[in-house]
């Protein structure tokens, strides 16, 4: 069934003291941290129509903040664009060529929009022609402040941005615009892909890393190179706990890396399967890719809410929960695009989130996410000093 959804060496020690695995440290600068508390966000993507919701978990209660139809995900390639686009400080401008159309008057031009969609049509020679139609603008606009006018042979549409600090790579949200636009929001923060399937994690992680220019890591590949044997034979010889402990050591090392996409092990031998292994996963944005058995979109959303509220599954610690209706390898980009869209909304909902992630890393990933304690706090003491 197709996914219908909806990047000096460190040593990693495992139970064998004679072996270490060296991972070169990338010389990337960390962000300037801004210390404050964080209410963890959850974005749940439905498997059947790409619809998603952003939820805020406060005091154990999930509150719906925003919903966006993932069915709006655009697959229009860059080369098919028939418009000119430019981004200003407070607005974006769209220019459409009307030189070959027999438009008699401005009353033959129809521009309709809401916060996330745009429809531009003209009446020429008695026929209504669609020049632009998208229900997935790159980000929200202010419909009441939209203006349009004719400039010689072009129809110019000026859209006022809701978030003037966000630079738009294009008018529509697509794979191309997301891979360019997400970098200003991630600010070097790494991405961790977790879930029960190592194959899905690796395929989607590789697609993400390639798209945004991050460094791809596969903990499965690193572990097998270290152990000189497959994960399956390692599990047979030493047990699942041995593999999980080794992957936890790798995650500790990778937590200091910026601009990386880390695909983790799935199954019972994966470190992300247990709550006590999440200390270093919180160093970046975590995306849980979960195959849903729900029969429809509403059921899939309810399933995701239940998993997050219940909290028994360690994967529920993830920043983003992505529900898939199934999986085929050729759907990697589709899922990766939905992940980028979710990450965009998550980071826009809390502009200081990347700074908090950076602070967490700078303080040594002490396991106090999301309620980061002041420097000098000892997690083993049981004493929590007051927040500054």
């Amino acid at each position: 069934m197709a996914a219908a959804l909806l990047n000096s060496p460190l040593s990693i020690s495992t139970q064998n003291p004679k072996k270490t695995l060296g991972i070169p440290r990338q010389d990337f600068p960390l962000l300037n941290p801004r210390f404050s508390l964080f209410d963890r966000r959850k974005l749940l993507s439905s498997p059947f129509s790409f619809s998603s919701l952003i939820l805020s978990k406060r005091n154990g209660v999930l509150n719906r903040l925003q919903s966006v139809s993932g069915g709006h995900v655009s697959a229009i390639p860059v080369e098919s664009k028939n418009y000119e686009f430019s981004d200003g400080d407070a607005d974006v401008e769209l220019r459409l060529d009307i030189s070959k159309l027999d438009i008699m008057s401005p009353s033959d031009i129809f521009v309709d929009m809401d916060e996330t969609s745009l429809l531009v049509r003209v009446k020429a020679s008695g026929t209504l022609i669609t020049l632009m139609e998208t229900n997935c603008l790159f980000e929200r606009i202010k419909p009441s402040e939209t203006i349009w006018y004719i400039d010689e042979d072009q129809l110019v549409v000026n859209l006022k941005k809701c978030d003037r600090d966000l630079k738009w790579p294009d008018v529509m949200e697509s794979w191309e615009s997301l891979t360019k636009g997400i970098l200003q929001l991630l600010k070097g923060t790494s991405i961790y892909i977790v879930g029960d399937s190592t194959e899905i994690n690796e395929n989607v992680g590789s697609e993400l890393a390639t798209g945004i220019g991050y460094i791809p890591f596969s903990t499965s590949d690193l572990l097998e190179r270290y152990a000189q044997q497959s994960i399956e034979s390692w599990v047979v010889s030493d047990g699942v706990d041995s593999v999980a402990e080794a992957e936890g050591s790798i995650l500790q090392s990778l937590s200091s890396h910026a601009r990386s996409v880390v695909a983790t092990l799935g199954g019972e031998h994966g470190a992300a399967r247990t709550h006590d292994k999440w200390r270093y996963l919180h160093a970046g944005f975590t995306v849980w890719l979960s195959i849903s058995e729900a029969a429809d979109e509403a059921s899939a959303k309810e399933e995701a809410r239940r998993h997050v509220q219940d909290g028994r599954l360690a994967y529920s610690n993830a920043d983003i929960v992505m529900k898939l209706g199934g999986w085929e390898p050729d759907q990697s980009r589709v899922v990766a695009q939905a992940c980028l869209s979710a990450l965009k909304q998550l980071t826009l909902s809390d502009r200081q989130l990347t700074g908090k992630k950076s602070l967490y890393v700078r303080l040594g990933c002490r396991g106090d996410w999301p309620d980061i304690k002041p420097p000098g706090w000892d997690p083993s003491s049981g004493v929590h000093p007051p927040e500054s």
Side-chain angles (χ1 to χ4, degrees):
M1 178 180 178
L5 211 118
L6 4 144
N7 198 309
S8 66
L10 301 176
S11 291
I12 300 175
S13 300
T14 65
Q15 293 180 345
N16 187 340
K18 295 181 180 180
K19 289 188 177 182
T20 61
L21 173 62
I23 299 177
R25 182 193 299 273
Q26 300 298 320
D27 190 17
F28 292 129
L30 288 174
L31 307 169
N32 293 324
R34 302 178 70 178
F35 184 78
S36 58
L37 293 177
F38 169 57
D39 288 320
R40 187 175 68 198
R41 265 41 173 195
K42 298 288 180 184
L43 190 145
L44 314 178
S45 285
S46 155
F48 301 102
S49 62
F50 299 92
S51 68
S52 349
L53 345 143
I54 293 179
L55 304 178
S56 174
K57 190 172 184 179
R58 294 188 176 93
N59 301 322
V61 178
L62 290 175
N63 301 308
R64 179 165 173 166
L65 296 179
Q66 182 181 4
S67 71
V68 174
S69 174
H72 297 166
V73 172
S74 171
I76 297 176
V78 173
E79 55 267 23
S80 70
K81 292 198 305 185
N82 58 350
Y83 56 86
E84 297 176 15
F85 172 80
S86 61
D87 178 279
D89 288 335
D91 52 26
V92 294
E93 185 177 89
L94 186 66
R95 288 179 171 265
L96 300 158
D97 184 14
I98 56 173
S99 60
K100 298 179 181 179
L101 300 176
D102 185 20
I103 300 175
M104 304 302 295
S105 72
S107 62
D108 291 332
I109 298 175
F110 308 92
V111 179
D112 301 295
M113 83 294 298
D114 58 25
E115 285 193 342
T116 59
S117 66
L118 175 67
L119 174 62
V120 181
R121 296 173 296 172
V122 297
K123 187 176 182 180
S125 303
T127 303
L128 196 60
I129 301 172
T130 299
L131 298 182
M132 163 68 69
E133 182 176 12
T134 177
N135 53 8
C136 192
L137 293 171
F138 186 75
E139 189 44 41
R140 293 181 302 115
I141 62 170
K142 300 176 181 178
S144 62
E145 298 183 37
T146 294
I147 62 172
W148 64 266
Y149 58 91
I150 297 176
D151 181 13
E152 297 183 347
D153 293 332
Q154 290 183 319
L155 172 60
V156 182
V157 182
N158 186 278
L159 307 171
K160 192 71 67 176
K161 297 190 289 188
C162 287
D163 188 337
R164 60 183 303 157
D165 294 328
L166 180 67
K167 296 299 181 183
W168 290 33
D170 193 12
V171 68
M172 291 184 286
E173 184 182 274
S174 63
W175 173 251
E176 289 77 14
S177 64
L178 282 168
T179 52
K180 294 176 182 177
I182 196 64
L183 297 177
Q184 64 186 300
L185 299 171
L186 293 179
K187 299 179 180 178
T189 306
S190 291
I191 301 169
Y192 294 83
I193 309 298
V194 303
D196 276 330
S197 172
T198 302
E199 176 195 358
I200 296 177
N201 297 347
E202 290 180 340
N203 286 342
V204 175
S206 176
E207 195 74 49
L208 280 172
T210 300
I212 64 178
Y214 270 29
I215 301 172
F217 287 104
S218 163
T219 58
S220 174
D221 180 60
L222 292 171
L223 286 167
E224 289 182 345
R225 282 194 285 146
Y226 154 72
Q228 297 296 301
Q229 63 178 326
S230 68
I231 298 297
E232 291 74 16
S233 61
W234 189 345
V235 170
V236 171
S237 61
D238 296 324
V240 295
D241 292 342
S242 174
V243 178
E245 286 297 324
E247 188 185 28
S249 296
I250 285 181
L251 294 174
Q252 178 180 357
S253 179
L254 292 176
S255 67
S256 62
H257 289 233
R259 298 177 177 86
S260 302
V261 178
V262 181
T264 65
L265 279 175
E268 295 182 359
H269 45 277
R273 187 82 176 190
T274 57
H275 287 281
D276 61 355
K277 298 294 192 300
W278 272 75
R279 174 176 174 180
Y280 297 103
L281 287 167
H282 289 309
F285 293 118
T286 48
V287 181
W288 173 18
L289 302 180
S290 172
I291 299 293
S292 174
E293 297 181 357
D296 52 44
E297 180 178 338
S299 299
K301 290 180 179 179
E302 182 57 34
E303 177 185 80
R305 283 194 192 92
R306 187 171 63 252
H307 286 160
V308 173
Q309 286 180 311
D310 186 284
R312 284 181 294 180
L313 288 175
Y315 294 138
S316 65
N317 290 307
D319 297 303
I320 292 170
V321 182
M322 188 75 64
K323 286 293 180 180
L324 312 179
W327 173 253
E328 289 182 4
D330 61 1
Q331 295 295 311
S332 295
R333 177 166 292 189
V334 177
V335 180
Q337 181 175 335
C339 290
L340 290 179
S341 182
L343 284 166
K344 177 167 71 75
Q345 292 193 38
L346 178 67
T347 49
L348 285 174
S349 70
D350 185 350
R351 284 286 197 162
Q352 299 188 34
L353 185 51
T354 53
K356 296 167 188 173
K357 289 285 187 181
S358 178
L359 175 61
Y360 182 75
V361 173
R362 285 176 178 271
L363 294 178
C365 298
R366 303 172 305 177
D368 54 345
W369 183 267
D371 302 317
I372 305 174
K373 301 300 183 292
W377 173 68
D378 180 5
S380 64
S381 68
V383 178
H384 293 197
E387 303 289 351
S388 58

